[in-house]
Amino acid sequence: MSDYQHEVEELERESATAARLFDVRRIIGGLFVVYGVIVTIAGLTASDADLRKAQDININLWTGLGMLALGLFFLVWLKLRPAVPPAAAESADGAGSEAPSKG
């Protein structure tokens, strides 16, 4: 029984690590920051002809800054409220109180 319990605890630790690693906020935030940097650079290097096409509004610059802000928001959110897996005691109580079903 103790070997089984040890394996379960090890799998729970690995699962919690994977959940933190693949948190969707990290992926979305990272992508928005990377693309925001690229689009912001494109906006900073825009020519006068590009600006005339957009009625003198630097669309790439404003869109890039917006993407950077959104990406940083997601990363700060992830840092302030990290994903917390359920405690081992809570999951053991919930699993132990019900009879296993074969359905």
Side-chain angles (χ1 to χ4, degrees), residues 30-96:
L31 285 174
F32 267 98
V33 167
V34 169
Y35 289 133
V37 168
I38 293 169
V39 174
T40 301
I41 291 171
L44 292 173
T45 60
S47 67
D48 290 335
D50 292 334
L51 292 176
R52 278 194 302 273
K53 285 182 198 176
Q55 298 177 353
D56 292 328
I57 298 172
N58 198 340
I59 296 171
N60 284 338
L61 179 64
W62 289 108
T63 303
L65 291 174
M67 291 174 76
L68 274 171
L70 183 65
L72 290 174
F73 167 75
F74 271 95
L75 294 176
V76 167
W77 180 23
L78 175 70
K79 188 71 172 176
L80 294 177
R81 310 257 304 183
V84 179
E90 291 175 4
S91 63
D93 289 343

